Amino acid sequence: MPATTRPIRIGMIVPSSNTCLEPQTYRILGSRTDVTVHFTRIPVTRIALDDSSDRQFDPAVMREAARLLATADVDVIAWNGTSGSWLGSAHDEELVREITDATGIPATTSTLAYLEAFRAFGTERIGLFTPYTEDVNHRVIAAYEQEGIKTVDHRALGLSDNESFARVTDDEMLPGSRELAAAAPDALVYLCTNLYGANIAAGIEESTGVPVLDSVAVTLWHALKLSGAPLLDPRWGRLLAQLPPQG
């Protein structure tokens, strides 16, 4: 007979060309057996500010992906992509409503997870690090400004091919990260779920004193929070290891 109890199940919708977030999510979970994560992919290959890029994030495509995850009886569904950071939070709020209406399952996105983390931890000033082009960064900065988040400084690596983001090395990220931390933001944000920012989070926090919020870790944190599961080990970002203050 099937077991009457099971681990919490998190469903994640993944950009098709992303090679980071699946292995990184399980790396972050480590030896935990109280949670399992289940993935389905949608076509995403390129990040830019044009219609062909925007069409990759069509809510109808997300809905169908969410329905597939729902057949696995997941407890929460996350769009594990940061497109709402430049398309605007209203885009992702509508996406979450559509997913929940279609499946009956609570949902979030990487962008909404960041906004929840910013609210929870009183983050108002950030240093922004992305693999994107400068114009995408500027759109993100403007969208965050509307949410009351000031970007004190930013770095963009100038890439648009989504597959290439996961090939950015720690050594390529460290100099810009240290420069951003020198501006003493409330947090250093690694914005992209195909970027291995969580790998260097502990070292950056230890050497600079600035908290790190990485997209893969933040999305997992919010999904765990929504499902009522324990949060993360502090090595992936010290803020994400604790319940936020209440009130």
Side-chain angles (χ1 to χ4, degrees):
M1 294 290 291
T4 56
T5 60
R6 61 166 177 77
I8 287 170
R9 295 175 185 164
I10 295 172
M12 291 185 173
I13 302 170
V14 181
S16 59
S17 52
N18 187 309
T19 60
C20 166
L21 77 84
E22 291 158 306
Q24 188 76 315
T25 294
Y26 269 109
R27 189 174 294 123
I28 291 170
L29 286 172
S31 61
R32 287 178 61 167
T33 59
D34 62 314
V35 178
T36 59
V37 188
H38 309 276
F39 305 94
T40 193
R41 289 176 174 247
I42 64 167
V44 177
T45 58
R46 162 177 180 273
I47 302 302
L49 300 182
D50 56 46
D51 289 343
S52 66
S53 176
D54 290 352
R55 282 196 297 270
Q56 298 173 116
F57 312 111
D58 186 332
V61 176
M62 300 281 189
R63 256 195 329 269
E64 289 310 306
R67 287 190 177 108
L68 285 175
L69 288 170
T71 66
D73 192 29
V74 295
D75 298 293
V76 63
I77 294 173
W79 157 231
N80 209 328
T82 55
S83 53
S85 298
W86 59 89
L87 296 176
S89 61
H91 174 275
D92 277 20
E93 287 164 357
E94 177 60 24
L95 176 61
V96 162
R97 282 192 292 271
E98 293 205 21
I99 288 174
T100 299
D101 286 348
T103 65
I105 297 170
T108 188
T109 72
S110 298
T111 297
L112 297 182
Y114 264 122
L115 294 178
E116 174 62 20
F118 294 156
R119 286 189 291 267
F121 301 115
T123 302
E124 298 178 347
R125 301 169 66 258
I126 66 166
L128 178 67
F129 188 108
T130 85
Y132 308 138
T133 53
E134 287 276 343
D135 58 342
V136 173
N137 264 28
H138 287 297
R139 185 71 64 85
V140 172
I141 291 166
Y144 275 172
E145 186 75 28
Q146 293 182 352
E147 303 291 340
I149 304 301
K150 177 178 176 56
T151 303
V152 298
D153 198 1
H154 74 102
R155 296 291 183 276
L157 296 182
L159 305 175
S160 58
D161 172 21
N162 194 66
E163 185 276 332
S164 71
F165 302 161
R167 291 187 274 115
V168 174
T169 66
D170 294 357
D171 286 343
E172 291 175 292
M173 296 178 66
L174 285 170
S177 299
R178 294 186 182 116
E179 292 165 3
L180 291 172
D186 297 332
L188 174 58
V189 169
Y190 292 124
L191 188 72
C192 178
T193 64
N194 201 22
L195 187 69
Y196 281 96
N199 285 357
I200 60 174
I204 290 294
E205 290 187 340
E206 182 178 359
S207 64
T208 69
V210 176
V212 170
L213 294 172
D214 164 77
S215 293
V216 176
V218 168
T219 307
L220 179 58
W221 168 84
H222 199 216
L224 292 170
K225 189 167 178 281
L226 288 174
S227 65
L231 302 179
L232 303 181
D233 186 288
R235 67 175 288 199
W236 307 109
R238 64 175 186 251
L239 295 178
L240 305 180
Q242 57 193 332
L243 285 170
Q246 300 300 309

